[in-house]
Amino acid sequence: EDRADKAADEVESEGTGRLARGASHRDEDALTLLKYAKIDDAKIKELTLKLEKLTEERSRKKKHLEIEVTNTLTTQIELDKTAEAFRQAHDERMEVLEQWEQIISQMQRRDEEMEKGADLLRELKGRSR
């Protein structure tokens, strides 16, 4: 009987040891999972903050870009208006120059006509003497 009890005690002891080792492994596994979960949570929090910062930066840059586009369009419109005003002033100047040339040409013709008239008058005076 003592041997049977001893054998039963040994079997029971082995079973308890196995259970204890199994529980110990489960506890270690649970701690390991908890450790990884904490690491994952920290990484998620870090990435979330980084995403928020990048989103804010993107919004600032987008707003800045919109302002620059508006300024560029405004400047382009002003430049177009200035170019049109310059073209108009140039056209007007060319018109004035053309009118001057016509006036000078008319004055030259009148001078020539006056010169012919003066020559004719001298010739007539010369004949009448």
Side-chain angles (χ1 to χ4, degrees):
E1 222 178 276
D2 278 337
R3 277 185 148 178
D5 285 339
K6 274 187 173 181
D9 286 343
E10 282 180 24
V11 168
E12 188 177 315
S13 177
E14 272 183 39
T16 304
R18 283 186 200 150
L19 285 176
R21 284 192 299 275
S24 174
H25 281 294
R26 279 193 302 273
D27 288 346
E28 286 177 22
D29 290 346
L31 287 175
T32 301
L33 285 175
L34 186 60
K35 175 182 162 187
Y36 286 132
K38 285 181 180 179
I39 290 171
D40 288 348
D41 286 345
K43 189 67 174 178
I44 289 170
K45 193 177 280 187
E46 175 188 333
L47 291 173
T48 301
L49 286 173
K50 189 173 185 178
L51 178 63
E52 288 174 6
K53 286 179 183 178
L54 289 172
T55 301
E56 288 173 10
E57 182 180 349
R58 183 195 66 144
S59 294
R60 280 193 311 273
K61 287 183 177 184
K62 184 178 179 185
K63 186 174 182 176
H64 180 73
L65 177 63
E66 289 171 356
I67 290 169
E68 288 300 318
V69 166
T70 301
N71 290 342
T72 300
L73 290 175
T74 302
T75 303
Q76 185 63 47
I77 290 168
E78 291 172 1
L79 183 61
D80 290 345
K81 286 180 181 180
T82 302
E84 180 58 34
F86 176 78
R87 277 190 291 278
Q88 187 175 358
H90 178 72
D91 290 346
E92 289 172 3
R93 181 173 178 255
M94 295 307 292
E95 247 181 77
V96 168
L97 288 174
E98 192 174 308
Q99 288 174 358
W100 277 7
E101 287 174 355
Q102 288 174 0
I103 291 170
I104 290 171
S105 182
Q106 286 175 353
M107 289 175 70
Q108 286 174 343
R109 279 195 307 272
R110 286 187 184 156
D111 283 348
E112 288 172 5
E113 288 172 3
M114 287 173 57
E115 199 60 43
K116 285 180 187 178
D119 287 344
L120 184 61
L121 184 59
R122 279 191 291 273
E123 185 181 323
L124 287 175
K125 279 187 180 182
R127 284 189 195 168
S128 63
R129 292 191 185 166

